[in-house]
Amino acid sequence: MTAQEERAASPGGAADPNAGAARARRTGPEADRAAPRRPGTTPVPDAASDGPGPVSRPATDTRHTDAATTPDTTPDRKDGPRSGAEPAHTPPGTGTTPATDTRHTDAATTPSTAPDGEGGPRSGAEPARTPPDTGTTPAAEPVDPALLDAGLLSPVRAGTPVEAVVCDTAWLQALLDAEAALARAQARLGVVPAAAAQAITTAARAERLDLRQLAVASRETANPVVGLVRALTEVVARDAPAAAEYVHRGSTSQDILDTGAMLVAARALRVVRADLGRSAAALATLARDHRDTPMAGRTLALQAVPTTFGLKAAGWRKLLLDADRRLARVLDEGLPVSLGGAAGTLSGYLEYAGVDGFFDAPRTGDGTGRAPGRYVDALVRAFADETGLAPSDLPWHALRTPLADLAGALALTAGALGKIAVDVQSLTRTEVGEVTEPAVEGRGGSSAMPHKRNPVLATLIRSAAHQVPVIAAGLTQCLLAEDERSAGAWHAEWQLLRECLRLTGGAAHTAVELTTGLVVRPERMRENLGLLGGLLVSERLAARLAPVVGKAAARDLVGTATARAAASGLPLHELLAADPRLAGAVGEKDLAALCDPADYTGAAAALVDRALSR
């Protein structure tokens, strides 16, 4: 933590005369910290955990009323209940989007209307202000609803489940979850009283803090953790004064924010993966149902050779499965906790462990049981277990592989979804008309042309697919982090990560409705196959006629016949039958069969079967 952060965090700690045996061992300055506080003051620890003695200041009510979308704090264990806001999921196959909960909007807090316990009721229009002579900080102005990012310019994610798990309240809750998990991890190692860890966990609720006030205050420290530590400490002090000094013990802002970011990412990836699974299931059904449905394969925008719609759907499904496997790997292995302390040496954590007597216990037989390295390993494992994230081999404050890896996986996922969208847009063109999006009353209308029904779902998905790789590139640029902690590169990641997550999540959710409701028109596919009068099988004809007239002659013969067919509109098989080079060798009936494009789909059916077996 920087010197500016340290000043803003107001170093110090609360007294707990009954904190247990660890406290009883303290002498000198530590014993002095057990002195009673003046009534009406709240201890505030140094967010970097390496400052001088306690500093007391009047408590500030930091209650926050935006509880409707506050995520659950249950640890994100891989084998247990997941935490984070549980978004409503549409039942498979319904193709509907859940209604938006208007109680919460992104990056906003709803001003409290409950009495604040100090100066009477607060209202959204007139926030309570502290008299200037009290020495307390006035509450932040309530946010103007007109300033909120409600998704007006990003409809692909507006109203989708991912919004609830990446909104400002969700991020705040993730940071609080990280603080609580750290206290529990330290309690497991005996350096924080279990009761204190429980008190911190109970207090670590987003609705108890003023989100807008924290956001505005972060302008003074360049990150939100400094103000969060102060506010959380005040809440803990009101609930359990003896536990307040254990908030953020030995930690630093980046440890909490990076861990919180990984929690947000984990919660969002679970939402994305659930939607990818539903789309993949829908595409499997389409591939199976249309295994043998012929259609024109197109290369460089033109009809090339026949294929089947089943093979196209199987290809879409494979892209989603590839993306899902990549996200699963990131979710299982690539989202680590962050523990580095002020400059990547974990010195603050070790110092407090020493203060609490951890290294005073007898060493184990190999002489290393209470060594600093063993403590660090144990703390990392306990922290990972409490959060459900992966352990990290080294502090990664300036080693941003986790963010770059996550960015790449999200770019791949958005691109996979975008490929489906682009194909649907092409196939739904008026002159093609081989598929249509599910019909919903009022959807796809034009402000100028009443007859139009635009492919809205594919358009939304494609919009996200164009954005995410570009934004993800910004995240990979954050690999260029100077020194042990970066000034600016780290700070640039947060909004980029949120945007990647919610655009990808919005696209994945939109794809569920598209794939489950896509209308396939086999009759139009067959009609389009006949547009070129058999020219799509020129490859086949050249191969079949080569043994008769030779490879070069066959290519020349077929090339001449196809050109004449395109110019005259005459059937290709009739022109070939009239060529004297084929007289007596191949009959007109056989040539007609060879010119049927529906009979020339190669191994498409077998490829579909193979794809669906995996």
Side-chain angles (χ1 to χ4, degrees):
M1 179 164 295
T2 64
Q4 183 185 29
E5 290 172 339
E6 293 171 1
R7 289 193 298 272
S10 300
D16 180 6
N18 301 307
R23 291 293 307 276
R25 290 191 294 270
R26 296 177 185 157
T27 60
E30 277 298 307
D32 293 339
R33 296 178 66 180
R37 295 191 318 275
R38 289 182 291 109
T41 62
T42 301
V44 182
D46 177 10
S49 300
D50 59 359
V55 176
S56 296
R57 53 184 195 78
T60 303
D61 186 358
T62 55
R63 288 176 294 181
H64 174 61
T65 61
D66 190 10
T69 57
T70 301
D72 183 10
T73 57
T74 305
D76 282 321
R77 302 182 189 278
K78 296 182 180 66
D79 57 350
R82 57 183 258 205
S83 60
E86 294 292 337
H89 283 283
T90 306
T94 62
T96 59
T97 301
T100 304
D101 184 353
T102 57
R103 293 175 296 177
H104 174 73
T105 48
D106 187 22
T109 62
T110 305
S112 174
T113 57
D116 65 6
E118 296 281 341
R122 296 173 60 186
S123 68
E126 294 294 331
R129 296 184 181 277
T130 306
D133 59 351
T134 64
T136 59
T137 303
E141 291 284 350
V143 65
D144 183 348
L147 301 178
L148 304 181
D149 180 2
L152 183 66
L153 302 182
S154 188
V156 65
R157 52 88 173 173
T160 62
V162 74
E163 282 196 308
V165 294
V166 301
C167 68
D168 276 4
T169 299
W171 273 83
L172 174 57
Q173 187 59 59
L175 300 179
L176 291 169
D177 291 344
E179 289 283 6
L182 177 60
R184 294 194 302 272
Q186 291 170 319
R188 287 168 63 167
L189 301 184
V191 298
V192 165
Q198 181 57 52
I200 294 169
T201 299
T202 300
R205 299 296 304 169
E207 64 267 24
R208 301 191 69 180
L209 275 61
D210 189 322
L211 178 57
R212 178 63 174 177
Q213 189 174 38
L214 290 175
V216 174
S218 68
R219 288 181 55 81
E220 304 304 320
T221 56
N223 81 74
V225 177
V226 180
L228 177 142
V229 171
R230 181 192 303 119
L232 175 60
T233 302
E234 292 171 345
V235 174
V236 172
R238 287 198 297 271
D239 294 350
E245 70 172 282
Y246 296 103
V247 174
H248 201 74
R249 196 166 182 81
S251 192
T252 194
S253 295
Q254 191 163 355
D255 284 350
I256 298 303
L257 208 151
D258 280 350
T259 301
M262 296 297 97
L263 288 172
V264 169
R267 294 161 186 174
L269 292 187
R270 291 189 182 97
V271 173
V272 173
R273 291 194 65 208
D275 282 336
L276 291 179
R278 294 166 63 195
S279 288
L283 291 173
T285 299
L286 286 175
R288 189 176 299 109
D289 291 348
H290 295 281
R291 172 182 180 271
D292 301 307
T293 300
M295 66 177 293
R298 298 172 174 90
T299 63
L300 279 69
L302 303 179
Q303 289 193 7
V305 296
T307 183
T308 69
F309 184 73
L311 184 56
K312 183 176 286 290
W316 292 344
R317 174 177 175 268
K318 182 182 186 305
L319 282 174
L320 297 192
L321 294 180
D322 289 344
D324 184 64
R325 280 192 292 270
R326 180 76 178 274
L327 294 181
R329 184 186 63 78
V330 170
L331 189 58
D332 290 342
E333 305 171 7
L335 301 179
V337 293
S338 178
L339 275 182
T345 65
L346 290 92
S347 55
Y349 297 108
L350 291 170
E351 197 67 20
Y352 272 101
V355 167
D356 291 322
F358 181 84
F359 301 115
D360 295 341
R363 294 177 180 266
T364 57
D366 61 4
T368 61
R370 293 286 185 170
R374 286 292 182 90
Y375 175 77
V376 166
D377 290 343
L379 181 61
V380 170
R381 287 195 301 269
F383 193 32
D385 188 53
E386 289 293 340
T387 57
L389 298 173
S392 56
D393 294 332
L394 285 175
W396 51 282
H397 290 166
L399 309 174
R400 308 307 284 171
T401 301
L403 268 296
D405 196 24
L406 175 57
L410 292 171
L412 169 65
T413 303
L417 293 163
K419 162 61 176 172
I420 300 173
V422 169
D423 279 353
V424 168
Q425 286 180 327
S426 296
L427 296 177
T428 198
R429 292 177 184 273
T430 304
E431 58 271 25
V432 178
E434 294 176 355
V435 302
T436 58
E437 290 192 353
V440 174
E441 182 67 28
R443 175 182 290 167
S446 165
S447 63
M449 297 164 283
H451 72 281
K452 291 194 71 180
R453 185 162 69 83
N454 295 314
V456 170
L457 300 177
T459 299
L460 292 175
I461 296 169
R462 186 176 182 181
S463 74
H466 277 291
Q467 295 177 74
V468 174
V470 177
I471 300 170
L475 280 173
T476 59
Q477 285 298 304
C478 294
L479 286 166
L480 306 180
E482 76 283 1
D483 303 325
E484 280 60 57
R485 288 173 65 187
S486 176
W490 172 53
H491 305 73
E493 295 170 355
W494 314 330
Q495 186 66 14
L496 298 179
L497 175 59
R498 196 230 307 261
E499 202 62 22
C500 279
L501 289 170
R502 65 181 176 183
L503 284 170
T504 305
H509 191 70
T510 305
V512 173
E513 186 173 0
L514 177 63
T515 55
T516 57
L518 190 67
V519 178
V520 182
R521 302 176 64 190
E523 74 288 349
R524 187 60 182 266
M525 293 177 178
R526 184 58 191 257
E527 181 182 339
N528 289 338
L529 274 175
L531 289 177
L532 298 183
L535 300 188
L536 266 68
V537 298
S538 62
E539 176 190 59
R540 181 188 202 183
L541 290 168
R544 289 293 188 93
L545 297 179
V548 178
V549 297
K551 181 178 179 181
R555 286 184 61 85
D556 178 69
L557 187 155
V558 173
T560 300
T562 54
R564 291 179 57 197
S568 65
L570 294 174
L572 177 59
H573 72 276
E574 293 181 7
L575 295 172
L576 289 170
D579 193 296
R581 287 173 288 183
L582 298 179
V586 183
E588 183 175 341
K589 184 176 180 181
D590 291 334
L591 290 170
L594 289 174
C595 288
D596 181 7
D599 189 42
Y600 186 54
T601 58
L607 291 172
V608 171
D609 293 341
R610 185 169 69 181
L612 294 180
S613 69
R614 296 177 177 176

